Amino acid sequence: MQNQYTELFINGKWTTGSSGKKVENYNPYNGEPLGTIQSANPEDLNQAYEAAAAYQPKWEAMEPATKQEYLLHLIEIIKDNKAHIVDWLIKEAGSSKVKAEVEIQSAIQIIRESASFPTRMQGTTGTSNTEGKENYTFRSAKGVIGVIGPWNFPFHLAMRTIAPALATGNTVVVKPASDTPVTSGLLIADLLQEAGFPDGVIHVVAGRGSEIGDEFVEHPVPKLISFTGSTEVGKHIAQLASKHLKETSLELGGNNVMLVLKDADIEKAAEAAVFGSFLHQGQICLSLNRIIIDESIYDDFVSAFTQAAKRLKAGDPAEDDVLIGPIINQGQIEHIQELVEGTIDQGAKLHTEFKTEGNVIKPVILSEVTNDMPAAKEEVFGPVASLLRASDEETAIKIANDSPFGLSGSIFTKDRYRGMQVAKRIETGMVHINDMSVNDEAHMPFGGAKQSGIGRFNGEWIMDEFTTTQWISVQAENREYPF
């Protein structure tokens, strides 16, 4: 395994990018340089796509058992290099040790689930309304899949596309996030190479979106573009892809909500809300952005939640007991500050100290928030929790749905059946009862509604996304035609 990652990975070789521009990689906590990568230019990108396309038929034709062996061996390689991966997640993505552990285990689960895919690439036989005809369907790989990696859960979310794509016979070209070029791309290529995957299955082209971003989507080779990130960028990707009738899998922003109903266990709800709001400094698409509490228990919840949040230690994520690490970059810090200050100006009450130390922001709790205030209206993507009042259950549901986003959600109630009925009325792709919103299981459908994305990841749903079905009929007996 490499200690430094300063090159692209194309067709099994580490190579210097051809662009005149560079990707400077920094530790978001202390600003320490982590390496300089010579960026890819359109020629590098074309080379990667062409190499992926050339090898894809051979990879798809490989025996299912062989693909499974590669994927299962990859899990062992990840386990053997766990300390190396954790180190990079901490210093490049600002992950706490707890978050890094969660991320690696999630990635392993994805790979293990994907290892079952090669033997699940099944077709069907069917009857026909035409006499003497036999009908068959066959499932095959899409071809080459373009992966645009995220910076927040970089290792897991990139692997969430890469592993199932390879398992279903596709090859991949990855454009990692510029803030995390190693953990969302180059490190994964290194692990696959260490696991013995053939040259040609994965290619990683680090580069600025301004230089290769649009070309990455519009290049004629990839049949599908997978992207996890902001709704704004996702819309642009979808617009570019639509010009070429190219498919997309998009997991986008989420203004996620927790409903705390009047019969909820307040202490349990507050404990879950702290984890759902502040894991990885709230820099997760699934993070709780709004917590809607029945007014009969509002004050008690605010007190319990605030006390629990104040116990979280913020600082250097390399320290074992630190749970709140740095915000990824200065631009994101300014975004958070603008939303919090705007919400306070409109009448929200601040229950914690709002102070930035370097790139670290301690948990921010705002009460008496309404849905039209900035921190509730927009996805904050930081350690900020907005607490809203609801006069009753119907009002809580109305507030929850008053958003263009719908990725994940949460409901706390002692009546689980009632919770199910409320969950069905929440306009979101996922809802978790008596749990927080940050959940991802490799065999369950993951995706959003409204402006939170297109498509579903995980299990049989991602198999459908990354494969195509062909109908073949055989006329076994002579057919008579009317002319």
Side-chain angles (χ1 to χ4, degrees):
M1 298 296 295
Q2 299 194 35
N3 291 320
Q4 294 293 322
Y5 295 88
T6 59
E7 296 178 301
L8 315 181
F9 187 78
I10 299 175
N11 209 21
K13 295 182 175 59
W14 296 97
T15 181
T16 302
S18 303
S19 171
K21 299 179 181 179
K22 298 177 181 179
V23 175
E24 302 287 353
N25 199 8
Y26 293 98
N27 182 319
Y29 176 70
N30 57 25
E32 174 188 340
L34 299 176
T36 299
I37 303 169
Q38 199 75 30
S39 295
N41 68 3
E43 287 73 27
D44 295 321
L45 177 63
N46 183 66
Q47 183 183 352
Y49 271 137
E50 292 294 340
Y55 189 73
Q56 188 274 325
K58 185 176 181 180
W59 173 250
E60 183 176 11
M62 203 170 285
E63 295 84 355
T66 303
K67 294 192 192 79
Q68 288 177 322
E69 288 172 4
Y70 279 123
L71 289 162
L72 294 174
H73 187 45
L74 176 60
I75 292 175
E76 298 308 311
I77 294 298
I78 289 173
K79 290 178 177 178
D80 291 345
N81 292 278
K82 181 179 176 181
H84 181 65
I85 301 168
V86 167
D87 178 59
W88 269 103
L89 285 170
I90 290 171
K91 67 188 181 185
E92 185 183 54
S95 305
S96 66
K97 289 188 176 181
V98 169
K99 182 263 187 180
E101 293 278 349
V102 169
E103 182 162 1
I104 292 170
Q105 288 307 311
S106 296
I108 287 173
Q109 290 172 13
I110 284 288
I111 300 167
R112 185 174 287 116
E113 172 71 10
S114 298
S116 72
F117 292 174
T119 53
R120 291 164 62 183
M121 296 280 286
Q122 298 170 349
T124 65
T125 60
T127 58
S128 175
N129 289 316
T130 300
E131 186 176 354
K133 182 183 289 293
E134 299 170 355
N135 284 322
Y136 304 87
T137 65
F138 295 88
R139 186 193 291 264
S140 59
K142 279 280 198 302
V144 177
I145 292 178
V147 185
I148 303 176
W151 55 259
N152 58 332
F153 253 67
F155 187 73
H156 166 55
L157 294 180
M159 192 69 79
R160 186 180 65 179
T161 291
I162 293 168
L166 298 182
T168 48
N170 302 281
T171 53
V172 297
V173 176
V174 183
K175 181 189 175 300
S178 295
D179 284 310
T180 55
V182 175
T183 48
S184 64
L186 297 170
L187 172 59
I188 295 173
D190 198 13
L191 289 164
L192 264 68
Q193 189 174 49
E194 187 77 7
F197 277 75
D199 297 345
V201 298
I202 184 171
H203 315 262
V204 182
V205 286
R208 294 292 174 185
S210 58
E211 186 167 11
I212 63 169
D214 287 2
E215 177 65 17
F216 189 89
V217 176
E218 295 193 272
H219 194 283
V221 163
K223 304 302 182 186
L224 182 146
I225 300 296
S226 177
F227 169 75
T228 299
S230 71
T231 296
E232 180 183 5
V233 175
K235 286 181 177 180
H236 179 65
I237 289 170
Q239 185 179 41
L240 292 175
S242 68
K243 293 192 297 184
H244 307 277
L245 297 180
K246 186 173 296 187
E247 295 181 65
T248 57
S249 290
L250 305 174
E251 192 239 295
L252 308 177
N255 188 344
N256 305 301
V257 65
M258 172 187 279
L259 274 63
V260 185
L261 305 184
K262 64 181 179 181
D263 69 336
D265 184 320
I266 295 174
E267 294 296 328
K268 292 294 184 184
E271 178 184 312
V274 166
F275 187 87
S277 298
F278 302 124
L279 176 64
H280 196 43
Q281 306 78 263
Q283 297 178 123
I284 307 174
C285 54
L286 298 172
S287 292
L288 289 172
N289 207 60
R290 298 172 295 155
I291 305 172
I292 304 170
I293 308 113
D294 188 279
E295 65 179 1
S296 66
I297 59 171
Y298 185 85
D299 292 340
D300 290 339
F301 180 88
V302 172
S303 176
F305 181 71
T306 302
Q307 289 177 30
K310 285 182 176 180
R311 291 195 291 267
L312 302 180
K313 183 179 178 181
D316 185 350
E319 296 179 10
D320 290 341
D321 58 346
V322 166
L323 297 173
I324 307 295
I327 303 302
I328 192 67
N329 56 44
Q330 186 60 37
Q332 185 62 20
I333 289 174
E334 292 172 0
H335 170 72
I336 295 168
Q337 290 173 331
E338 181 181 350
L339 293 179
V340 171
E341 290 167 359
T343 302
I344 293 172
D345 288 344
Q346 291 185 23
K349 181 180 177 182
L350 178 65
H351 289 261
T352 52
E353 182 182 24
F354 180 42
K355 182 180 179 181
T356 302
E357 297 178 356
N359 275 18
V360 176
I361 299 176
K362 293 181 179 180
V364 176
I365 299 173
L366 300 169
S367 70
E368 308 303 339
V369 177
T370 57
N371 230 23
D372 57 351
M373 293 182 182
K377 191 174 183 179
E378 298 186 37
E379 182 182 35
V380 178
F381 229 66
V384 179
S386 294
L387 311 185
L388 294 78
R389 287 181 184 268
S391 57
D392 54 31
E393 186 178 291
E394 287 297 320
T395 303
I397 294 170
K398 183 178 179 180
I399 295 171
N401 289 334
D402 185 20
S403 170
F405 302 100
L407 184 57
S408 187
S410 164
I411 298 168
F412 264 80
T413 175
K414 291 176 182 175
D415 186 338
R416 289 178 288 177
Y417 179 77
R418 176 185 174 200
M420 287 280 289
Q421 299 311 304
V422 173
K424 291 177 182 179
R425 298 176 62 190
I426 305 300
E427 298 167 357
T428 186
M430 303 168 282
V431 182
H432 306 286
I433 299 169
N434 293 333
D435 196 0
M436 46 79 218
S437 56
V438 185
N439 278 276
D440 188 2
E441 295 192 39
H443 63 291
M444 296 304 294
F446 185 105
K450 298 191 282 190
Q451 294 188 29
S452 288
I454 298 172
R456 292 292 183 267
F457 290 89
N458 300 345
E460 63 193 75
W461 297 272
I462 198 63
M463 287 188 68
D464 289 339
E465 293 278 333
F466 289 172
T467 59
T468 186
T469 300
Q470 184 181 28
W471 169 33
I472 296 178
S473 74
V474 177
Q475 190 64 40
E477 300 175 10
N478 289 333
R479 180 178 179 179
E480 294 185 4
Y481 303 97
F483 60 87

